[in-house]
Amino acid sequence: MKKILSYIFGRIITVLLYLSGSVTSIIVVLIVIFLFSEGSGLFGKKPTEEGFIMAVNKTNNVKHLDAEQIKLIFDGEITNWKKVGGRNDSIILFRMDNITDFFTEEQRENPDSVIKLLGENYERLPQCISRVVEANPGIIAFVGKKYIDKNFAGKELKIDKITISDFLFGKLWFPTAHPVAVFGALPLLLGTFWVSIFAILFALPLGLATAIYMAEVAHPTVRNILKPVIELLAGIPSVVYGFFGLVVVVPFIQNTFNLPVGETALAGSIILGIMALPTIITISEDAIRTTPRSMKEASLALGATHWQTIFKVILPYSSSGITAGAILGIGRAIGETMAVLMVTGNAAVIPHTLLEPVRTIPATIAAELGEASQGGLHYEALFTLGCILFIITMIVNLAVEIISSRNKRVAS
Amino acid sequence: MTKSINQQIAFWILRIMSSLVVLFLVLILGFIISKGIGVINWKFLTTMPEDGMTKGGIYPAIIGTFCLVGGSMLFAFPIGVMSGIFIHEYAPNGFFKRFVQLMTNNLAGVPSIVFGLFGMSLFVNKLHFGDSIIAGSLTLGLLVLPVVIRTTEEALKSVNDSFRLASYGLGASKLQTIWRVVLPIATPNIITGLILSIGRVSGETAPILFTVAAYYLPKLPTSMYDQVMALPYHLYVLSTSGTDIKASRDMAYGTALVLVAIVLIANLIANALRKFLSKKVKMN
């Protein structure tokens, strides 16, 4: 009896172990499902608010506009229909709240005639809108659907649905703009890469030098000091790095370069570089250590100095491990949220220099998710950004996996 | 001759660059400690924030972080250790094991903000936990799971195979061997990993932004469905979006120091434990 019980107990434990062994795989799959199901909802939807349409004069030959064009039109940056593929005619903006601008001066001055035109409870508003749209050939009207009756004298302008390429290559990120929200993630993508690449450019030489020093040159006592230092650097929370950046690095950059604001890509790169150091150092050091002793000794026996051996034998041998460390460092930098959010200034514009504010994908999610209503376009767009981030880190991980497995094969 | 001069120059460059790395740490820690040490006293640690978080203490944030660390460890520790045992002791070498390891690595590389998004959509919205300790703890638990798995794996790897073989030789089953022989030897190393992951969890901000953290909530949680304040988010709020950022700077320095202190203490304990253990092993 006791034997049976302990057998059953053993079986149960084994099953539990198998279950918990696959738990990470399940979580990864769940993350994929949730992220992509929430994020993919964005595509194929119209970027306007529910219940509103764009109307133009019947003679207008423009058939459809995309969100970016409408945003630029309503911002007054595009003022002629020619720019969006129409005839040469200037654009007249019409929103519900500036309807009185289209009345004649007498009509506007006289409250009675305003009431006569609009109706006491705005019941004549549809006809009024219809008249205004008919009278102005260059008009573009943003009106609620309920004010469009069947005798409407204008025509509805088609608004392009959001596509993947719009999202990836759109240059404007205005998720809460009126009348249309514009989701162009290009500035965020470029901002993320911009900050991360400069972070690595600064962290890689430093990290590599430290790794070589620790693995080859340093006295064991020095190494025993350096190791906990690097562990601590890795352990400091990102929000503390962000705070340090905000209080020390940002004012320093502002004063040194005489800038109006110190929250710049440079500040982000410096902080991210420091944060990426531990990853680069640990992985490169491990890679350097795997160099077989016989290779080192062969080089030394041929009369090479220690430095020549490091430079000509050890570094080439461990180059794939070092590459893996650098890629993983970039991956960490791309995904870092809080520190970047606090020091880069968060302006969603395509960066040109290091001394201007940028905004990264993780910072955008962290800053905007709180104010986006659940299930709305903005919410879905942020999840789509999360998908992009997830895909990037998956690529980074797989690349590292491939590089290090190749390294193992070479070693054996 | 030039060869050895070259080497001297190269080694000095390496030394200077390595000391730059040390300098970064000294700068950051020195700055936080020197600015924060004056703020920290018993009252700061045990009273509620006052006057729009410009005065008073950070008591609720400390308690909140404590709850989150406890909750996430309750979730991640058993599952992570079991998963580590599975990968190292049970899984047959082959595709499945490699796949599980790959997935664990992938999960470790997922950015913390993505965990935040996932936690929000699964725990907060789909399972209707709302912004609560349980949602935040589970999200943080998922985040440290790969860390726990990896340290368990490493700890098991360091157990010499002769122990296992000796146990099998005495007629013990696999489970008995793991439970009576392997785990007792590996436990201290596993605990070291646990302590380090506590340091990690207590500093994470992005995953709790949308799953639990409250901007200002001067009361203690009563159930696991309550929102709490947490130290890292509190520091973020104080330094970027508080009611009066200049006036709350001191509070921010203090909070940053408490956070750094948690990480420092965790590292110190882990290191001491490691040193103590390596001595013990040598004696055997």
Side-chain angles (χ1 to χ4, degrees), chain B residues 236-281:
Chain B
Y236 171 68
V237 165
L238 286 178
S239 53
T240 59
S241 53
T243 47
D244 185 350
I245 293 172
K246 280 248 155 53
S248 52
R249 247 310 115 79
D250 273 347
M251 295 288 108
Y253 285 130
T255 314
L257 181 55
V258 172
L259 263 178
V260 168
I262 293 175
V263 174
L264 266 177
I265 292 169
N267 271 280
L268 282 179
I269 295 177
N271 267 329
L273 210 64
R274 216 178 282 156
K275 227 171 241 167
F276 174 71
L277 288 170
S278 60
K279 254 182 216 154
K280 213 170 134 193
V281 170

Side-chain angles (χ1 to χ4, degrees), chain A residues 17-18 20-21 24 27 34 38 210 213 246-247 303 305-308 337-338 341-342 366 369 379 393 397 401, chain B residues 3 7 10 15 18 21 82-83 86 90 100 102 104 106 111 113 120-122 125 142 205 210 236 239 253:
Chain A
L17 284 173
Y18 267 83
S20 50
T24 47
I27 294 169
F34 272 85
E38 301 257 25
T210 312
Y213 183 69
L246 194 66
V247 184
T305 61
H306 192 179
W307 170 243
Q308 281 174 321
T337 314
M338 297 317 288
L341 176 65
M342 289 163 87
L369 190 59
Y379 181 85
T393 48
N397 281 325
E401 204 74 26
Chain B
K3 278 204 297 191
Q7 168 159 325
R15 272 187 202 108
S18 310
V21 174
M82 274 168 61
S83 185
F86 171 77
Y90 270 82
V100 167
L102 182 72
T104 312
N106 274 340
I113 187 74
M120 179 182 179
S121 92
L122 175 61
N125 293 337
L142 296 181
T205 321
F210 312 112
Y236 171 68
S239 53
Y253 285 130

Side-chain angles (χ1 to χ4, degrees), chain A residues 42-48 54 62-70 84 156-163 165-166 180-183 377:
Chain A
L42 179 70
F43 303 117
K45 280 194 185 156
K46 284 190 178 167
T48 39
M54 290 283 166
V62 175
K63 293 247 162 41
H64 60 94
L65 291 173
D66 63 23
E68 202 174 310
Q69 288 168 327
I70 293 173
V84 290
E156 188 182 338
L157 186 70
K158 280 209 180 70
I159 301 167
D160 291 350
K161 289 169 178 155
I162 302 169
T163 62
S165 67
D166 278 350
V180 287
V182 190
F183 301 104
L377 277 180

Side-chain angles (χ1 to χ4, degrees), chain B residues 88-272:
Chain B
H88 193 258
E89 305 284 332
Y90 270 82
N93 271 322
F95 173 75
F96 185 59
K97 182 176 173 177
R98 277 202 48 208
F99 180 76
V100 167
Q101 277 176 322
L102 182 72
M103 281 304 183
T104 312
N105 281 347
N106 274 340
L107 196 63
V110 172
S112 53
I113 187 74
V114 173
F115 279 101
L117 278 177
F118 173 64
M120 179 182 179
S121 92
L122 175 61
F123 301 126
V124 177
N125 293 337
K126 189 119 277 155
L127 299 177
H128 301 293
F129 289 155
D131 280 2
S132 59
I133 294 177
I134 180 163
S137 300
L138 287 173
T139 311
L140 286 172
L142 296 181
L143 180 91
V144 288
L145 198 57
V147 185
V148 179
I149 293 176
R150 270 193 197 160
T151 37
T152 309
E153 248 187 284
E154 291 298 319
L156 293 174
K157 226 179 256 173
S158 67
V159 177
N160 204 318
D161 254 352
S162 59
F163 286 107
R164 292 190 185 88
L165 295 176
S167 170
Y168 290 144
L170 289 170
S173 69
K174 187 161 198 168
L175 205 60
Q176 282 173 321
T177 307
I178 292 173
W179 186 244
R180 295 277 166 86
V181 180
V182 179
L183 271 186
I185 303 174
T187 302
N189 271 329
I190 296 176
I191 290 177
T192 313
L194 177 76
I195 295 170
L196 287 177
S197 52
I198 285 179
R200 167 102 197 262
V201 168
S202 52
E204 280 293 344
T205 321
I208 60 171
L209 276 177
F210 312 112
T211 52
V212 53
Y215 179 82
Y216 176 66
L217 188 73
K219 68 184 182 67
L220 299 183
T222 49
S223 83
M224 64 180 186
Y225 294 103
D226 280 357
Q227 265 191 303
V228 284
M229 292 174 84
L231 283 172
Y233 184 60
H234 191 56
L235 174 57
Y236 171 68
V237 165
L238 286 178
S239 53
T240 59
S241 53
T243 47
D244 185 350
I245 293 172
K246 280 248 155 53
S248 52
R249 247 310 115 79
D250 273 347
M251 295 288 108
Y253 285 130
T255 314
L257 181 55
V258 172
L259 263 178
V260 168
I262 293 175
V263 174
L264 266 177
I265 292 169
N267 271 280
L268 282 179
I269 295 177
N271 267 329

Side-chain angles (χ1 to χ4, degrees), chain A residues 200 280 322-332 395-397 399-400 403:
Chain A
I200 289 301
I280 296 175
I322 293 168
T323 318
I327 294 177
L328 217 54
I330 294 177
R332 287 285 136 80
I395 292 171
V396 164
N397 281 325
V400 169
I403 289 169

